[in-house]
Amino acid sequence: MAYTQSNIANTGVVQTAGGRFKMRALAARVSSWLVVIVVLFLLVEFPRGVLVDGGQATSPIHTFKWRQFIDNIHQQLHAWLTGSAGQSVESSTPLRDVLHNVLPSLELLLISFAVVLVMGTAKGLYDGVHTAVRSPGTVLSNGVQWTLEAVPDFTWVMALIALSFWLDQRGRNIHVFFAGSTNFWTGTLVPALILSLLPVMYVARAVRLAVESQFEQQYLTTASAKGIPQGRVVVRHLLPNCYGTIAASLIPVIGMLLSALVVVEFLFARRGIVNGLFQSMGNSGALPVYSPVSTVPSNNPLVMYYNFDPVLCLYYLLVCVLMFALLWLIGRGILRILGFHGQTNPFSARLRNARTASTGPWALTVGAFMLMVLLAAGLFANKLPIPKATAKDLLHFGKSITQVSTPPFPPSPSHWLGTDVEGHDLLSLALHGTLTTFGEVGAAAFLVVAVAALLAFSSSVLELQGLRWIIHMWSTLFTLIPGVIGVLLLINIPQLYWAGVHVLPDHWTWGPIHVWIYFALLCLVECGRVASNLQFHLDAEFHKEYMEAAWVSGNSRIGAFFIHVLRTMLGIAVETLVAEFVRVLVLIAVLGYLQVAIRANWWLSEPPWPAGWHFNQSASDWGALIAANSNYFRAYPWVLFAPILFITWTVIALNLTLTGIQKWLNSEPTRRSASYPLAFRIVSIWIKPEINSSLHLQETNL
């Protein structure tokens, strides 16, 4: 009896400790969100400066005063403390404007979130249970997985808009409109499904891995030996052990939904918090917050500065945070109702042997081949039988002399992907921008991973707890707020936007300093998330059982890293670099649609083009090509076909390459390939000579 009472007492202690741990975790999460809100508050209240006539100066004049910054903070805090909603620039009732846009976005997010939880879990269970069976169903499921993961969200949106344009033109008279539609099916359900595509695949892959890890475990073998039907085993035993995986996926899934909401609402011209946020930040349609405008005389340009409404902007950002918290609570509540209380299964199946991996090297081979084809086409673009990038096709004559058409021309045998408004062949422009795009995106991705790796090493290996807290806050900030919103909030600061500008009467261009600022902002947005991910992998490696032998043998934490952990982290770094290349490429494309390009350029047009200032393609990269043609997409959808198709091709190729890399990293090496790689040997010799002798001793023992 005493033994039973002791067990009961110990169980109570464990439950109390578990409750305290949960309360501490919840308190840490709430405190991190509060810190994020404070950072957003300071960023929004940052004075945007005063822009004046730039025609008589070498650059637009902007001012910054700390007194103005402090006054902005004081006024907003006074409005909150006195119970006032604050005075908006556009409206005296900002809360009413925000609530007017919240319900459409909330409806979209709730439908998408439900689709993600149901469809993602169901697909993951099916794929995991049938992972060893090659049938038409599994082949189709895997094909859908690769396709939806590879094709970016904006590709689907633009394809639907182009389809509606094609159905409405050329006498078909089939009126199916997705942009600006108020119909539930085309205006809500279709955007919600597009919004959920990538998150569904993310949850499905996570659940599939969780299901695969349950095989070869005794409880499933016992259940099958008792004659229990497979469906009941899956629902009663296998599915509950996947709840922990689903719970861990909630935060990245909600972050994906909010990031995709930026693209879906904006491109579909749908009323919601994103459009309201863009308007409060000063963005009008696809125009950036700052635009040059013509005056009389026309050689004296002025800067049009759309009003940045700090009250509305702050409220919309707070709504984004609250929606994130609401979806997280709904997801956790559903899992709690289903019986999830925080338990996870710590066991997993053994890794597959590299020789018998299910996918094999085909993914890596196909992905590398697609990349080489694209790079070769870009390298020899001048040799291909297509129009030159500098050639202009200005007039097309019809059957009669009165039938004359001007660019942009639709796709045709002479222009496979059409022309832009100046008559340039879009396929040729995209091909000539391939090498530039790969260089810029590759440099940005490498910068992000390098800085993130240094931060993760300092916080995990050197155990700098203050830096660990900063990385957590950094990652939380740009998880709650999409990266596009973060870049726009920062780039709209006049001191950043107008850095390095050169003003001429009919031409404004930006110098190299603007390129560095652009890359720095991309690094700022992406670095926290990547550093948090690498830090997690480092912590996991240091908590493995074999590391106890390293401590017993007298190795320091740094020495154990170079001897035992560096080999694994090099592979993870390569995997992260490929994934980050995809993220940066898509982010640059979305920013390009908003005419926030790496190299900005405005020019004063002359006949036959409409008079006024237009964003010009100052560089050959795909983001600049999108920026130069985004204003014409609604009327001429083909003007974005070329860069979107090239970006989609690149993302598919990189995803296939990443799949092959992941298979190699997650496979058990064969005896022949179990030696240390050459790169690791070189690094170890350069850093510490005694490490090399240790490796030689270990290989001798093998």
Side-chain angles (χ1 to χ4, degrees):
M1 187 67 179
Y3 176 77
T4 304
Q5 290 177 351
S6 175
N7 282 338
I8 294 175
N10 291 335
T11 302
V13 171
V14 172
Q15 291 178 350
T16 304
R20 290 177 180 175
F21 177 78
K22 291 180 180 179
M23 291 301 297
R24 289 178 181 176
L26 181 60
R29 192 179 301 277
V30 173
S31 62
S32 64
W33 287 3
L34 291 177
V35 171
V36 167
I37 291 175
V38 172
V39 172
L40 290 176
F41 175 76
L42 296 176
L43 184 59
V44 170
E45 297 301 329
F46 190 91
R48 301 292 155 168
V50 179
L51 299 178
V52 297
D53 183 6
Q56 304 300 327
T58 57
S59 63
I61 299 174
H62 47 74
T63 59
F64 170 77
K65 296 181 179 179
W66 283 104
R67 182 63 184 175
Q68 184 182 2
F69 191 15
I70 296 174
D71 288 341
N72 292 344
I73 297 174
H74 179 266
Q75 292 175 6
Q76 189 62 55
L77 291 177
H78 181 267
W80 285 357
L81 293 175
T82 57
S84 172
Q87 184 68 32
S88 173
V89 175
E90 302 293 339
S91 173
S92 60
T93 57
L95 287 179
R96 183 182 302 175
D97 293 342
V98 173
L99 294 176
H100 182 68
N101 291 318
V102 165
L103 293 180
S105 296
L106 185 60
E107 179 185 23
L108 204 62
L109 288 173
L110 289 177
I111 295 175
S112 302
F113 193 56
V115 172
V116 169
L117 292 181
V118 176
M119 298 302 297
T121 304
K123 186 180 184 303
L125 286 174
Y126 177 84
D127 294 341
V129 171
H130 298 85
T131 184
V133 180
R134 188 169 184 83
S135 63
T138 57
V139 173
L140 177 62
S141 180
N142 290 332
V144 170
Q145 182 87 29
W146 303 130
T147 303
L148 297 184
E149 283 182 339
V151 180
D153 298 324
F154 61 80
T155 302
W156 298 110
V157 176
M158 292 183 176
L160 286 176
I161 295 176
L163 176 63
S164 63
F165 178 87
W166 182 79
L167 292 175
D168 187 57
Q169 298 296 319
R170 300 183 182 275
R172 297 178 181 86
N173 294 324
I174 301 177
H175 305 292
V176 181
F177 299 106
F178 298 98
S181 174
T182 57
N183 183 276
F184 173 77
W185 301 102
T186 58
T188 300
L189 185 60
V190 171
L193 293 178
I194 293 179
L195 191 65
S196 62
L197 289 179
L198 185 58
V200 165
M201 297 302 108
Y202 182 89
V203 173
R205 184 176 291 276
V207 173
R208 174 181 180 172
L209 295 176
V211 172
E212 289 178 350
S213 69
Q214 304 304 310
F215 287 110
E216 302 180 10
Q217 294 189 24
Q218 295 181 359
Y219 78 96
L220 288 179
T221 305
T222 304
S224 300
K226 290 182 178 180
I228 301 177
Q230 186 183 35
R232 187 176 178 183
V233 173
V234 171
V235 175
R236 294 288 300 274
H237 301 282
L238 194 57
L239 179 59
N241 282 330
C242 298
Y243 291 158
T245 300
I246 299 174
S249 303
L250 287 179
I251 289 181
V253 161
I254 298 172
M256 291 178 187
L257 289 175
L258 289 178
S259 297
L261 187 67
V262 175
V263 176
V264 170
E265 281 194 355
F266 190 77
L267 294 182
F268 275 133
R270 195 177 187 278
R271 182 168 58 89
I273 58 173
V274 171
N275 273 329
L277 179 59
F278 280 173
Q279 293 176 6
S280 66
M281 292 167 60
N283 296 82
S284 178
L287 293 175
V289 64
Y290 308 104
S291 301
V293 294
S294 300
T295 60
V296 180
S298 61
N299 61 354
N300 187 22
L302 293 174
V303 176
M304 178 180 291
Y305 175 60
Y306 297 99
N307 288 325
F308 183 91
D309 195 326
V311 176
L312 279 177
C313 184
L314 184 61
Y315 285 158
Y316 279 118
L317 291 174
L318 292 179
V319 166
C320 290
V321 175
L322 292 177
M323 282 190 173
F324 194 105
L326 176 63
L327 293 178
W328 183 81
L329 290 174
I330 290 175
R332 294 288 296 193
I334 293 174
L335 293 176
R336 182 82 180 203
I337 293 173
L338 294 176
F340 174 69
H341 299 286
Q343 308 96 326
T344 57
N345 194 329
F347 303 102
S348 62
R350 296 178 70 247
L351 297 173
R352 295 185 179 89
N353 190 283
R355 291 179 176 176
T356 59
S358 59
T359 302
W362 73 266
L364 183 60
T365 303
V366 174
F369 177 75
M370 292 176 64
L371 289 176
M372 287 190 294
V373 168
L374 183 59
L375 291 174
L379 182 62
F380 299 102
N382 291 325
K383 306 296 183 180
L384 298 177
I386 57 176
K388 302 299 181 182
T390 56
K392 293 184 179 182
D393 190 358
L394 300 179
L395 294 176
H396 281 184
F397 295 95
K399 296 181 180 180
S400 64
I401 195 171
T402 59
Q403 296 178 350
V404 180
S405 57
T406 57
F409 298 117
S412 63
S414 57
H415 302 286
W416 293 355
L417 296 179
T419 70
D420 61 7
V421 293
E422 298 182 30
H424 296 116
D425 186 79
L426 289 170
L427 176 59
S428 181
L429 290 176
L431 283 174
H432 281 82
T434 300
L435 299 181
T436 303
T437 302
F438 271 70
E440 293 175 345
V441 177
F446 181 81
L447 178 64
V448 169
V449 175
V451 175
L454 180 61
L455 294 174
F457 176 83
S458 301
S459 63
S460 181
V461 180
L462 302 183
E463 296 183 296
L464 300 180
Q465 297 300 323
L467 183 58
R468 179 179 292 269
W469 180 84
I470 292 175
I471 292 175
H472 175 68
M473 293 296 106
W474 194 347
S475 176
T476 303
L477 173 62
F478 291 108
T479 300
L480 299 178
I481 301 301
V484 176
I485 301 299
V487 173
L488 291 178
L489 277 175
L490 294 169
I491 200 67
N492 285 346
I493 296 176
Q495 286 78 4
L496 296 179
Y497 186 86
W498 295 107
V501 66
H502 300 285
V503 177
L504 298 175
D506 58 348
H507 185 206
W508 290 11
T509 186
W510 276 253
I513 186 63
H514 190 269
V515 177
W516 287 103
I517 291 175
Y518 192 97
F519 283 148
L521 294 181
L522 292 179
C523 184
L524 182 64
V525 168
E526 291 290 318
C527 210
R529 180 189 55 81
V530 178
S532 179
N533 182 41
L534 294 178
Q535 177 185 277
F536 171 80
H537 284 289
L538 280 173
D539 293 342
E541 290 296 323
F542 278 113
H543 283 87
K544 288 184 177 179
E545 294 182 357
Y546 72 87
M547 293 301 295
E548 295 182 3
W551 313 136
V552 173
S553 61
N555 287 319
S556 64
R557 196 173 180 87
I558 298 179
F561 169 79
F562 287 111
I563 295 175
H564 301 286
V565 181
L566 181 59
R567 178 185 180 185
T568 303
M569 292 307 299
L570 286 176
I572 295 175
V574 173
E575 176 186 352
T576 305
L577 181 61
V578 177
E580 191 59 28
F581 190 101
V582 174
R583 288 183 60 89
V584 172
L585 179 62
V586 174
L587 180 58
I588 288 177
V590 176
L591 290 172
Y593 187 85
L594 300 172
Q595 294 190 339
V596 180
I598 297 178
R599 294 178 178 87
N601 189 14
W602 290 85
W603 59 282
L604 184 62
S605 63
E606 298 177 355
W609 297 282
W613 287 86
H614 300 275
F615 191 91
N616 190 24
Q617 185 186 353
S618 57
S620 58
D621 62 278
W622 297 337
L625 187 58
I626 294 176
N629 295 281
S630 59
N631 276 335
Y632 309 100
F633 172 68
R634 301 291 182 187
Y636 314 104
W638 63 83
V639 295
L640 295 183
F641 280 0
I644 295 302
L645 287 177
F646 276 56
I647 290 173
T648 304
W649 177 281
T650 304
V651 173
I652 292 175
L654 288 172
N655 276 351
L656 288 172
T657 305
L658 182 59
T659 300
I661 293 175
Q662 289 173 339
K663 285 296 180 182
W664 278 1
L665 292 178
N666 297 327
S667 298
E668 184 182 33
T670 59
R671 184 67 182 88
R672 182 179 300 176
S673 61
S675 61
Y676 290 93
L678 178 62
F680 177 72
R681 295 173 182 268
I682 295 175
V683 172
S684 62
I685 294 174
W686 176 62
I687 293 177
K688 199 172 183 180
E690 56 266 27
I691 295 178
N692 184 50
S693 60
S694 176
L695 295 181
H696 178 72
L697 178 61
Q698 293 178 16
E699 292 183 357
T700 303
N701 294 333
L702 288 176

